Amino acid sequence: MSGRLPPRAASSDPYRHTRRLTPRDRLLLSWLAEHYLLSTRQITKALFPSDRSARLRLTLLHRITAVDRFVDTSAADSTQYLYALGPLGLRLHRDAYHDPDNPTAKAPRSSRSRADRILGSRKLRHLLGVNDFFTDLIAHTRTHPHARLHRWWSEQHTTNAYGAAGIQPDGHGIWTVDDTTVGFFLEHDNGTEPLGRVLAKLRAYQRVTEFGPRYPVLFRLPSRARERHLLDALAGIPTPMPIATAVHGADPAGRVWTLTSDPARLRHLHELPSDHGPHAATNPNRFTACDAETPRPP
């Protein structure tokens, strides 16, 4: 019998590539678990110094199955991909949100099944619009060291946290500039609903103020005309929570927000009035100093 050892079989360990993941990679995977998908452009502006460095790293992450990618057929640039969790990414985030159209749906059998649900969602363009808002804020923090996005919660996360009041925001964030911290709920409007239905959402936000925070509700609208119609509809109507409007494409960190209660001047996001609400059992998601210790993107 030969004394030679047989050749080592190829590793079947599905986690073998985890050692190649950097903190930035893991942050990206956590975002994809929470927010379903991000485009090449969104990932680049939020995490990378250049298009080239982003493409190289994303190619590697795709090769080791951390992410799946799909050509964004609606983008003018044919090199634009949409990224979702790949097999490795989903193994590392087994509690990822799985279906933007049906939050109670059974978990998919594979990352590809999950991606098929996301790409086939009627909310796809809406999801990308919401994620554009938050990645713009993160990109701002990379050049403004005194700014920080402490929370970036998805629709499902926010609904789970505040669903007792019946709200279903498109996202929730906590934003700090210097010593000023503002919480907010986002309503990303694509102009597909009648204004009456949009205004009806405010009743649930009013219920939140009875036991929780009084965060501004941000309406991000597709046109100046749509914004003007909403401001006209809310003129002179008092609400317990602030309401502010801006249009798509405007820098969300900038002086672009119009308060419905004081439309004479524009404000920065951190200048909007905000109240974290009472320290009480009815407000378990109250922002605290411990929440402020969130990792900053590189």
Side-chain angles (χ1 to χ4, degrees), residues 206-222:
Q206 291 176 4
R207 287 194 290 273
V208 172
T209 66
E210 296 172 6
F211 63 85
R214 295 193 175 198
Y215 290 150
V217 180
L218 308 183
F219 284 96
R220 204 174 193 219
L221 303 151

Side-chain angles (χ1 to χ4, degrees), residues 90-104:
L90 192 56
R91 285 189 181 98
L92 296 175
H93 292 277
R94 295 184 182 277
D95 58 348
Y97 294 124
H98 296 304
D99 193 327
D101 294 337
N102 184 7
T104 62

Side-chain angles (χ1 to χ4, degrees), residues 35-37 100 118 121 123-132:
H35 306 289
Y36 295 108
L37 82 170
I118 297 167
S121 169
K123 296 181 177 180
L124 178 63
R125 304 321 304 178
H126 190 266
L127 281 170
L128 287 171
V130 172
N131 293 348
D132 216 34

Side-chain angles (χ1 to χ4, degrees), residues 61-121:
L61 293 177
H62 180 247
R63 188 174 299 145
I64 65 174
T65 75
V67 300
D68 276 337
R69 67 184 184 187
F70 313 87
V71 174
D72 184 1
T73 56
S74 67
D77 182 358
S78 61
T79 64
Q80 168 97 339
Y81 285 104
L82 301 178
Y83 288 87
L85 289 179
L88 174 59
L90 192 56
R91 285 189 181 98
L92 296 175
H93 292 277
R94 295 184 182 277
D95 58 348
Y97 294 124
H98 296 304
D99 193 327
D101 294 337
N102 184 7
T104 62
K106 186 177 179 181
R109 292 180 178 272
S110 67
S111 62
R112 183 51 61 107
S113 296
R114 178 181 183 270
D116 286 344
R117 293 183 188 182
I118 297 167
L119 294 171
S121 169

Side-chain angles (χ1 to χ4, degrees), residues 20 34 39 77 123 152 172 179 201 213 218 231 246 256:
R20 305 181 70 175
E34 169 108 1
S39 69
D77 182 358
K123 296 181 177 180
W152 173 15
H172 160 56
D179 296 326
K201 298 177 181 180
L218 308 183
L231 288 171
V256 299

Side-chain angles (χ1 to χ4, degrees), residues 13-56:
D13 179 5
Y15 295 94
R16 64 188 180 279
H17 290 304
T18 55
R19 66 182 183 276
R20 305 181 70 175
L21 297 176
T22 67
R24 178 172 59 189
D25 297 334
R26 292 179 181 274
L27 179 60
L28 172 59
L29 295 181
S30 73
W31 289 349
L32 294 177
E34 169 108 1
H35 306 289
Y36 295 108
L37 82 170
L38 292 165
S39 69
T40 305
R41 187 176 64 84
Q42 290 168 346
I43 294 169
T44 300
K45 68 184 176 182
L47 291 174
F48 289 91
S50 68
D51 292 343
R52 183 176 182 275
S53 62
R55 286 197 302 271
L56 289 172

